[in-house]
Amino acid sequence: MEEQQMMAIAEAILFIAGDPVPVRSIAEVLDIDVDAAQSLMEKMLEAYALQPRGLQLIRINDAYQLVTRPEYGEYIRKFTGATKEQPLSRACLETLAIIAYNQPVTKADIEQLRGVKCDHAIAVLLEKNLIREVGRLDAPGKPKLYGTTELFLKSFGLSDINDLPPLEQQQGS
Amino acid sequence: MEEQQMMAIAEAILFIAGDPVPVRSIAEVLDIDVDAAQSLMEKMLEAYALQPRGLQLIRINDAYQLVTRPEYGEYIRKFTGATKEQPLSRACLETLAIIAYNQPVTKADIEQLRGVKCDHAIAVLLEKNLIREVGRLDAPGKPKLYGTTELFLKSFGLSDINDLPPLEQQQGS
Amino acid sequence: MGYQVRLEVFEGPLDLLLHLIAKAKINIEDISISEITAQYMDYLSQMQALDIDIASEFMVMAATLLHIKSSKLLPKPVQQSEEQEPDPQQQLIERLKQYKKYKDAGEWLHERYMVYSNMYSKLPEEVVDTAEDVKFSNVTKQDIAQTMMALLDKKNTSQQSQTVVRNIKPEPISLHERINQLAALIVRRGKVLFSQLVSRKFSRLYVVVTFLALLEMVNRGWVAVQQSRPFSDIFIQRKGLKWKNSR
């Protein structure tokens, strides 16, 4: 395959993922070896840097991510401000509730329920040690499964996960 | 502001939004009038089309959206594990064609044209959200009128309903 | 199942007629009613021989064809008035021409669909106000439950009002399969809400099959279900010995 086409495919994948994509996954999808994928991505990173665009490619350890350029933050805030800005704790609480009641659960499941990307909230919850990775789903891409931690139980005064209030009782009120 | 910079901002906004963004919102964020935003986006659409990229800009009625190029769908599915969209049955396609070209249209009209009952095809198209009820005919029995949806436009790569080729042209075969 | 015979499937009588016309390599305008009628009847009798249900539309068309054919054989009645009935053969030709247009447009749509259903979009980014710190110190387990409930509510209402983007794939699924799927899920989760089993990407058929599967599982004593009031969500929980050691 031509290099340019491979870059186009990588771009499409990074776009869909939104998250950092390990160079290994890019290699897998393109059916090339990891070194080749690595150098492809480095070239792409340079190409992106040279173009006057709204997006940029960044590298985080062995992964690449498509993000908006920081200099346009003000406009993005203007755009999203018109819709609604969510406080972080709200986003995290929703994400935590979904994980607590549905564990083990993938990020895609959480996002499906919330209708927005949840990377940030998941990162914060992981960092606070309220959730953890409990395995990987046996599906293509092997997505991570999340569950709650002991600290979660302790923090909310639960002896075990079945202590969570049943959902249907509240619905009446 | 320079045009190139405005395009970059629009790109960043489309990336953040994910969903189609009305041209009005783009105008607002850039603080320009709607016509200017419209022509900016059309220029951007062309620029995107010319570049060998993984993404493309599409217009659906008065909104713009960033999506991956159809030719890389297979790679996206490999990456996400999604399954390929099933083709629509011939009954559905014929029914959809009749609705697209004659909307708003009743079931009786469709059945008259096709010479068979169309309940099942209509139910499937409604469920797939390719068509919707747009009202009722002011006639005995008040039959439902059907029309196509935005998803129809998107699924068939049409910017608006006028993008459909004239019916006569097809007759050649 | 016995032997299988391939018989071309037609979308209706008009579709069958177009097929016969194409096979005869003639223009729609030039159809010979007696030939076409013979072939049409032949096809219907093949269907009958194979025990295929013949939709009433096919029979109606057969009657129309026979009517046209017979009226051609009969001497023309004396013209009573200028405003006589339109020529049924001409009417049929018009219908066929109209139908062909949409059949071709359908093919065009098919090609487009195969291309453009390959376009993917991304989920919106969540924009959070990072200035605010996350404090869970005064959040209780009730808050978690309430949050989850609000999410499910929101999802339900957005389901009702939403008119855009919904991708549904045909899901050929058997009751048996669905029971196995649900069992696998319940082994993992222990408890689950019915609404979680049937997210909006599923068809009505899928929901019905899921519900039947659930009833069957209740019947087998595998699960206990609770519903606090009519139309509220159904809470499903593992029950009985089936699940012992399977965790």
Side-chain angles (χ1 to χ4, degrees):
Chain A
M1 205 185 327
E2 229 181 290
E3 191 174 82
Q4 201 143 57
Q5 203 190 347
M6 291 201 288
M7 278 191 198
I9 294 168
E11 184 183 50
I13 289 167
L14 291 172
F15 173 77
I16 286 298
D19 318 324
V21 177
V23 78
R24 189 172 22 80
S25 301
I26 295 165
E28 211 174 295
V29 171
L30 290 173
D31 205 10
I32 56 178
D33 64 39
V34 175
D35 287 345
Q38 179 83 53
S39 77
L40 180 82
M41 294 313 289
E42 283 304 313
K43 257 192 201 164
M44 195 167 150
L45 203 138
E46 275 169 40
Y48 252 89
L50 289 174
Q51 287 161 16
R53 308 208 22 192
L55 304 178
Q56 64 176 344
L57 191 59
I58 57 170
R59 182 162 65 79
I60 307 160
N61 297 328
D62 282 337
Y64 291 84
Q65 185 177 10
L66 216 47
V67 295
T68 57
R69 293 205 186 213
E71 56 262 48
Y72 301 130
E74 184 199 327
Y75 295 96
I76 290 167
R77 273 191 296 280
K78 195 167 163 192
F79 173 70
T80 55
T83 53
K84 60 174 186 288
E85 199 144 337
Q86 245 193 339
L88 184 56
S89 33
R90 178 88 219 146
C92 285
L93 185 59
E94 287 187 8
T95 306
L96 187 60
I98 293 170
I99 295 172
Y101 277 97
N102 300 283
Q103 57 189 312
V105 67
T106 64
K107 183 162 80 73
D109 292 335
I110 303 167
E111 291 178 342
Q112 157 81 5
L113 254 165
R114 293 194 60 217
V116 284
K117 310 243 11 149
C118 299
D119 309 84
H120 195 65
I122 289 175
V124 170
L125 292 170
L126 281 171
E127 192 182 279
K128 299 222 170 229
N129 201 25
L130 290 167
I131 62 166
R132 64 194 177 92
E133 292 173 27
V134 292
R136 284 178 183 265
L137 192 66
D138 190 15
K142 304 261 176 258
K144 286 174 188 162
L145 289 162
Y146 296 99
T148 51
T149 58
E150 294 280 317
L151 181 63
F152 166 79
L153 295 177
K154 225 168 85 183
S155 310
F156 293 94
L158 305 163
S159 52
D160 66 54
I161 197 67
N162 295 319
D163 250 15
L164 277 173
L167 288 177
E168 92 289 357
Q169 277 182 7
Q170 325 253 319
Q171 218 161 27
S173 62
Chain B
M1 206 186 322
E2 226 181 295
E3 192 174 80
Q4 200 142 56
Q5 202 191 345
M6 291 201 288
M7 280 192 194
I9 294 168
E11 184 182 53
I13 288 167
L14 291 173
F15 179 84
I16 291 292
D19 299 327
V21 177
V23 74
R24 193 174 15 81
S25 304
I26 295 165
E28 222 169 277
V29 171
L30 292 173
D31 205 10
I32 56 179
D33 65 41
V34 174
D35 286 345
Q38 178 86 52
S39 77
L40 180 82
M41 294 312 288
E42 283 304 312
K43 256 192 203 166
M44 193 168 152
L45 200 141
E46 275 169 44
Y48 254 90
L50 289 173
Q51 287 160 21
R53 306 205 29 188
L55 305 180
Q56 65 175 345
L57 191 59
I58 59 169
R59 177 170 72 82
I60 305 164
N61 292 332
D62 284 333
Y64 290 85
Q65 185 177 22
L66 267 181
V67 295
T68 62
R69 291 203 187 209
E71 56 263 48
Y72 303 131
E74 191 197 320
Y75 295 96
I76 304 280
R77 284 190 293 276
K78 191 167 166 189
F79 177 71
T80 60
T83 50
K84 189 162 167 49
E85 200 73 23
Q86 294 290 317
L88 292 166
S89 71
R90 267 194 46 208
C92 284
L93 287 165
E94 285 178 16
T95 304
L96 192 55
I98 292 170
I99 295 172
Y101 280 97
N102 299 284
Q103 56 190 315
V105 66
T106 64
K107 183 160 79 73
D109 293 335
I110 302 166
E111 291 180 343
Q112 164 67 22
L113 274 164
R114 289 193 63 220
V116 282
K117 290 256 162 220
C118 300
D119 307 79
H120 184 70
I122 288 175
V124 170
L125 292 170
L126 280 172
E127 192 161 285
K128 285 189 181 275
N129 204 25
L130 293 170
I131 62 166
R132 65 196 176 93
E133 293 173 28
V134 293
R136 285 178 183 265
L137 191 66
D138 191 14
K142 304 257 176 258
K144 286 172 186 163
L145 288 162
Y146 297 99
T148 52
T149 60
E150 301 236 318
L151 182 62
F152 163 78
L153 295 177
K154 191 181 165 199
S155 306
F156 292 87
L158 304 166
S159 292
D160 57 53
I161 199 67
N162 298 321
D163 256 12
L164 281 172
L167 255 191
E168 264 61 36
Q169 272 186 9
Q170 326 253 325
Q171 223 174 2
S173 62
Chain C
M1 241 181 271
Y3 66 100
Q4 288 188 335
V5 179
R6 270 189 68 88
L7 190 64
E8 258 181 283
V9 180
F10 296 99
E11 284 301 324
L14 294 174
D15 191 28
L16 171 54
L17 282 175
L18 281 185
H19 169 79
L20 297 174
I21 290 165
K23 229 171 75 178
K25 296 198 171 84
I26 50 171
N27 290 324
I28 295 175
E29 287 87 352
D30 305 331
I31 53 173
S32 145
I33 284 293
S34 58
E35 254 173 61
I36 283 288
T37 305
Q39 287 169 11
Y40 188 90
M41 293 309 192
D42 194 41
Y43 180 83
L44 289 201
S45 59
Q46 275 186 56
M47 277 171 84
Q48 251 161 352
L50 292 171
D51 226 8
I52 296 171
D53 274 337
I54 298 173
S56 57
E57 293 95 349
F58 283 93
M59 305 309 284
V60 172
M61 179 59 75
T64 307
L65 288 170
L66 290 171
H67 171 70
I68 297 172
K69 191 178 158 188
S70 62
S71 65
K72 287 199 162 233
L73 296 174
L74 294 172
K76 285 230 158 117
V78 188
Q79 299 234 336
Q80 283 163 341
S81 70
E82 283 305 300
E83 317 127 37
Q84 55 180 311
E85 295 252 306
D87 177 6
Q89 175 166 352
Q90 211 46 52
Q91 268 184 320
L92 179 62
I93 287 171
E94 275 313 306
R95 276 189 78 190
L96 282 169
K97 280 160 86 174
Q98 280 292 331
Y99 173 68
K100 180 152 191 337
K101 276 194 219 170
Y102 292 106
K103 192 184 158 183
D104 292 345
E107 267 160 37
W108 182 81
L109 286 175
H110 171 75
E111 304 289 317
R112 302 279 291 190
Y113 193 67
M114 292 328 281
V115 174
Y116 290 98
S117 62
N118 277 321
M119 287 186 328
Y120 292 90
S121 53
K122 73 186 276 295
L123 275 177
E125 296 293 318
E126 174 161 76
V127 181
V128 289
D129 183 359
T130 38
E132 186 180 340
D133 195 11
V134 197
K135 292 195 193 75
F136 286 114
S137 49
N138 45 9
V139 175
T140 66
K141 61 182 180 181
Q142 291 302 328
D143 293 322
I144 295 180
Q146 233 121 43
T147 305
M148 186 67 211
M149 224 94 62
L151 276 169
L152 292 173
D153 265 7
K154 193 173 81 187
K155 206 172 140 64
N156 286 340
T157 47
S158 73
Q159 223 163 311
Q160 280 155 18
S161 63
Q162 87 147 22
T163 49
V164 211
V165 193
R166 213 161 60 124
N167 283 316
I168 297 147
K169 297 176 195 90
E171 315 113 12
I173 178 148
S174 71
L175 183 58
H176 177 71
E177 242 177 281
R178 191 66 183 135
I179 290 174
N180 288 343
Q181 285 174 4
L182 293 189
L185 185 86
I186 288 169
V187 169
R188 272 202 293 140
R189 292 196 182 166
K191 55 187 177 181
V192 69
L193 286 169
F194 188 70
S195 59
Q196 292 167 339
L197 301 177
V198 287
S199 69
R200 67 175 162 197
K201 60 180 189 241
F202 296 125
S203 68
R204 210 165 292 155
L205 175 69
Y206 197 90
V207 176
V208 171
V209 172
T210 302
F211 191 70
L212 289 175
L214 183 60
L215 289 181
E216 181 59 27
M217 292 172 80
V218 171
N219 198 27
R220 294 183 192 175
W222 293 359
V223 293
V225 294
Q226 287 172 41
Q227 190 179 31
S228 57
R229 64 198 161 89
F231 307 115
S232 70
D233 211 338
I234 303 168
F235 180 70
I236 304 155
Q237 208 164 6
R238 273 203 302 252
K239 191 185 126 185
L241 295 173
K242 177 182 166 60
W243 312 102
K244 289 271 182 275
N245 309 322
S246 59
R247 229 189 151 174

